[in-house]
Amino acid sequence: MRKRRYLRQSAACLLAVACSSAMAAPSPYSTMIVFGDSLADAGQFPDPTRPGSSQRYTNRNADGSFAPVSSMILGGYLGVPSDQLNASTSAVNAALGIPDGNNWATGGYRTDQIFESITGESLVVIPPGNPGAGTVLRQRPGYLAGGRLADPNALYYLTGGGNDFLQGLVTSPAAAATSATQLAASAQALQQAGARYIMVWLLPDLGLTPALNGKPGESASSLLSAYFNQVLVSQLAQIDAEIIPLNIPLLFQEAVASPALFGLTADAKTLLQTCYSGNGCTQNPVYGANGSNPDPSKLLFNDSVHPTIAGQRMIADYGYSILSAPWELTLLPEMAYGTLNAHQSELRNQWQANWQAVGQWQAIVAASGQNLDLDSQSGSASADGHGYSLTVGGSYRLDENWRVGIAGGFYRQKLEAGPQDSDYRLNSYLATVFAQFNHGRWWADAALTGGKLDYDDLQRTFALGPNDRSEKGDTDGDLVAVSARVGFDLAQPGSPWHLSPFVSADYARIRVDGYSEEGSRATALTFDDQTRDSRRLGLGLQGKFQVTPATLAFGEVAKEHEFEDDRQDLTLHLNSLPGNEFTLTGYTPHSSLTRMSVGVSHELAPGLALRGSYNRVTSDELTQQGVNLALSLEF
């Protein structure tokens, strides 16, 4: 199942003007809409060296085209069509008849201009310090101009603040606070127009850029950048939307501290004080454009302030790791639900065996193996699981009509989810008390199950640059379930065959405790509690046939309707930003499922029987299979 999404999509991104939907992946978002500055600009300005083309603020590829920026790469991961990731106000695209896209980010924009591009007018104007500064290349109404509403199902992507510093507007904490408040106002404007999901960059540490690192302004710029982010985080926490912060400064600090993990050259000073293009900074003598071994993926910066493709991809992977986390973590209750299914199937198979004599006990020990296959949805990842179990129990026949019993089971389950094969493990300890009724041609059974869930090894794995990163944790949970069935045997008592239509009712509640992944890296997350309820009604048909006096064949099939089929959302936050919670979409239970089982029971000696069975549960995107082998003894 393991795939190198990074290698496959990186090649696609480098060969295309924008990352298209190269990866079939979950995405609950209708599209992606971008606002900000040059860090996310998809090509608003003409490329001065390639007529008819647009420029982006990152490195050029070998063919002279520009590599994609993070917003384009992330949009590709989410399956957003490439034309929707195009620039919104590009004069080049307008001249060529290319439709405007949803990326309103523009090189040189300050936070006040970002706000204006949302609420007022999108103006592509040559920024200060460049030839022709102040020249307007194109203008059009802003995204919300004229009372337009935001798309509540879109992912909004927001960067900004760097140009407030670089254009000399931020020279004090008060000015930094003003700029941060203006950027938060952009998120607020989107929220008030209906936006729900807004991903916001924290400002990179400007002291760790070639423009300032090792120079007199480094310390002051770092302090003001940090204060900008402090104010921004505080302001974002007050907005009534799902604000998803990206702790870019912490991520870049990790890259500088451990460059080899990100595929970068190992010297921190080289990363921070040299660049690829030589534009505004010292070109790297080895990996720079004119170096002995040109390779922008080895460097963090293309020029004095803008990331190379390595930095852009790192940021896109970081954003995707946060968005995709609920697509995997909301499968934890489904692991427990699969365990419950296996436990109940084992008991139902046992219940079809012939009853012991009145006043006698029947002991059972059973071993089983299961496989769970979950296909991807718009809000959940694909996953493959397997496990094994041991069940012991017994029943006592009270009289001609009643049998009662108890059973306990230990289940060990492993689930691999997502493109990087995240590894989730669960130990379940279940106990059930049950009662069966059989009078004439009527029969019924009921069971009450309780259990403890021990998620002892949760390892979420995702691509981060050229390598994978894993965040680890563990948690607990519990479940309770009630099931009941009533059936009518179409055959006469004493017949060698029996065929019984039945109705069933089931209820289950599964709770998974919230937990924090270890450490405080930029990618480490904390997840809230999860509760998965299930209420089902079903119709089924049960049959058995006494093949020989010692051999019984049995089976059943049922169709069940699930009433608790609402999407499972998950609240989470970055460990490094504990005050900024947000809720994202996850797994959606199916409204119907089909159960079936077949098996054979053979009496080895009087009172001693061996039973084998196969169970299967299916819905549109779920398949669970299991095989059971059980030994029962009457005494």
Side-chain angles (χ1 to χ4, degrees):
M1 181 179 170
R2 180 168 291 277
K3 301 183 179 76
R4 278 288 180 185
R5 174 174 61 85
Y6 163 78
L7 294 176
R8 183 175 69 252
Q9 287 207 292
S10 294
C13 290
L14 290 172
L15 291 173
V17 174
C19 288
S20 61
S21 53
M23 178 181 66
S27 180
Y29 307 105
S30 58
T31 189
M32 183 173 172
I33 303 171
V34 182
F35 301 95
D37 52 23
S38 56
L39 292 171
D41 187 336
Q44 302 281 23
F45 292 91
D47 183 352
T49 67
R50 292 166 62 95
S53 297
S54 297
Q55 70 171 344
R56 291 192 285 273
Y57 297 87
T58 187
N59 63 273
R60 292 184 185 270
N61 299 313
D63 63 358
S65 65
F66 284 97
V69 294
S70 63
S71 56
M72 301 167 70
I73 300 172
L74 178 58
Y77 292 170
L78 295 173
V80 178
S82 59
D83 60 332
Q84 296 180 23
L85 299 173
N86 285 341
S88 66
T89 318
S90 167
V92 173
N93 288 351
L96 295 175
I98 298 174
D100 291 322
N102 289 332
N103 190 320
W104 301 74
T106 303
Y109 265 9
R110 304 179 304 271
T111 53
D112 60 315
Q113 293 172 303
I114 295 170
F115 181 80
E116 183 68 15
S117 71
I118 296 173
T119 61
E121 186 174 48
S122 175
L123 200 67
V124 176
V125 55
I126 299 177
N130 295 273
T135 303
V136 176
L137 302 180
R138 189 180 170 205
Q139 61 192 85
R140 58 176 292 212
Y143 175 68
L144 296 178
R148 181 183 175 187
L149 297 178
D151 180 354
N153 297 315
L155 175 67
Y156 290 84
Y157 191 82
L158 180 61
T159 72
N163 288 310
D164 296 49
F165 286 75
L166 298 175
Q167 294 179 24
L169 299 181
V170 176
T171 58
S172 67
T178 297
S179 293
T181 300
Q182 287 178 155
L183 186 62
S186 293
Q188 181 76 62
L190 291 169
Q191 180 271 329
Q192 290 176 342
R196 287 191 297 168
Y197 305 102
I198 309 173
M199 180 171 278
V200 184
W201 282 37
L202 272 63
L203 180 67
D205 183 349
L206 297 180
L208 296 183
T209 64
L212 294 166
N213 189 256
K215 298 174 183 176
E218 174 188 344
S219 178
S221 296
S222 292
L223 290 173
L224 288 175
S225 299
Y227 187 65
F228 175 99
N229 286 330
Q230 180 182 336
V231 175
L232 177 63
V233 166
S234 175
Q235 295 280 337
L236 294 176
Q238 301 176 40
I239 298 175
D240 186 18
E242 309 307 336
I243 305 294
I244 309 156
L246 295 184
N247 199 338
I248 302 298
L250 180 56
L251 180 68
F252 271 44
Q253 288 173 17
E254 293 170 8
V256 172
S258 303
L261 297 179
F262 295 84
L264 303 170
T265 185
D267 180 45
K269 184 176 180 180
T270 296
L271 286 177
L272 299 179
Q273 298 184 7
T274 68
C275 66
Y276 178 73
S277 70
N279 181 16
C281 68
T282 302
Q283 186 180 124
N284 188 277
V286 177
Y287 300 115
N290 299 310
S292 58
N293 184 26
D295 186 355
S297 70
K298 294 292 185 182
L299 300 172
L300 199 52
F301 290 97
N302 172 64
D303 52 34
S304 60
V305 293
H306 299 108
T308 61
I309 181 60
Q312 300 284 1
R313 190 180 295 129
M314 183 195 314
I315 295 166
D317 286 345
Y318 176 35
Y320 189 77
S321 75
I322 297 171
L323 296 176
S324 62
W327 306 343
E328 297 181 8
L329 271 297
T330 52
L331 297 180
L332 296 185
E334 300 311 308
M335 294 178 70
Y337 189 61
T339 296
L340 178 63
N341 278 336
H343 181 72
Q344 291 177 330
S345 294
E346 168 62 37
L347 294 178
R348 287 165 179 160
N349 290 337
Q350 169 64 16
W351 294 343
Q352 289 198 66
N354 293 326
W355 289 18
Q356 67 270 36
V358 173
Q360 282 193 317
W361 287 90
Q362 184 181 82
I364 177 176
V365 59
S368 65
Q370 300 92 34
N371 176 266
L372 179 65
D373 181 14
L374 292 160
D375 294 337
S376 63
Q377 302 175 341
S378 63
S380 71
S382 62
D384 293 317
H386 60 271
Y388 56 87
S389 66
L390 178 67
T391 303
V392 294
S395 61
Y396 180 75
R397 188 166 181 181
L398 298 172
D399 55 32
E400 288 296 325
N401 299 326
W402 287 94
R403 183 167 73 161
V404 296
I406 187 170
F410 167 74
Y411 295 78
R412 176 66 171 172
Q413 191 174 2
K414 174 182 177 181
L415 189 72
E416 293 182 345
Q420 310 309 122
D421 284 353
S422 297
D423 193 348
Y424 304 108
R425 297 171 188 262
L426 168 63
N427 294 323
S428 303
Y429 307 88
L430 305 184
T432 296
V433 292
F434 63 86
Q436 292 177 267
F437 173 79
N438 196 333
H439 180 70
R441 296 161 71 175
W442 287 97
W443 60 267
D445 53 56
L448 172 64
T449 300
K452 173 179 171 53
L453 309 175
D454 176 17
Y455 294 91
D456 67 342
D457 187 4
L458 304 176
Q459 184 169 296
R460 182 173 61 92
T461 303
F462 47 89
L464 191 63
N467 298 310
D468 291 348
R469 172 179 278 193
S470 294
E471 299 291 358
K472 301 177 181 179
D474 58 72
T475 190
D476 298 313
D478 54 67
L479 68 80
V480 62
V482 180
S483 65
R485 301 185 300 175
V486 176
F488 181 77
D489 192 350
L490 300 178
Q492 295 289 341
S495 171
W497 64 270
H498 299 271
L499 192 64
S500 304
F502 65 87
V503 295
S504 63
D506 292 85
Y507 170 79
R509 166 161 284 197
I510 298 167
R511 186 179 59 84
V512 179
D513 294 340
Y515 75 99
S516 294
E517 294 172 330
E518 299 170 1
S520 57
R521 296 192 298 189
T523 50
L525 299 170
T526 291
F527 305 99
D528 207 350
D529 295 348
Q530 298 186 66
T531 300
R532 162 80 150 93
D533 288 331
S534 175
R535 293 186 300 116
R536 305 185 310 279
L537 289 178
L539 293 173
L541 188 65
Q542 183 184 99
K544 55 185 178 181
F545 178 66
Q546 196 73 47
V547 182
T548 70
T551 304
L552 175 70
F554 57 87
E556 68 177 42
V557 61
K559 188 74 172 181
E560 297 179 354
H561 177 75
E562 175 63 76
F563 293 92
E564 298 283 354
D565 58 357
D566 292 338
R567 184 183 64 198
Q568 304 294 291
D569 294 343
L570 180 60
T571 298
L572 60 156
H573 65 259
L574 276 67
N575 288 1
S576 59
L577 298 171
N580 295 76
E581 287 190 341
F582 49 94
T583 300
L584 300 179
T585 61
Y587 180 78
T588 301
H590 298 285
S591 60
S592 65
L593 57 85
T594 301
R595 296 178 178 273
M596 63 84 64
S597 65
V598 292
V600 175
S601 179
H602 181 73
E603 189 174 41
L604 302 175
L608 179 65
L610 180 66
R611 174 174 50 79
S613 59
Y614 167 78
N615 309 297
R616 184 181 178 93
V617 179
T618 58
S619 62
D620 290 342
E621 293 156 357
L622 177 148
T623 301
Q624 180 179 351
Q625 302 178 80
V627 291
N628 309 89
L629 189 65
L631 193 65
S632 63
L633 175 65
E634 297 178 10
F635 59 93

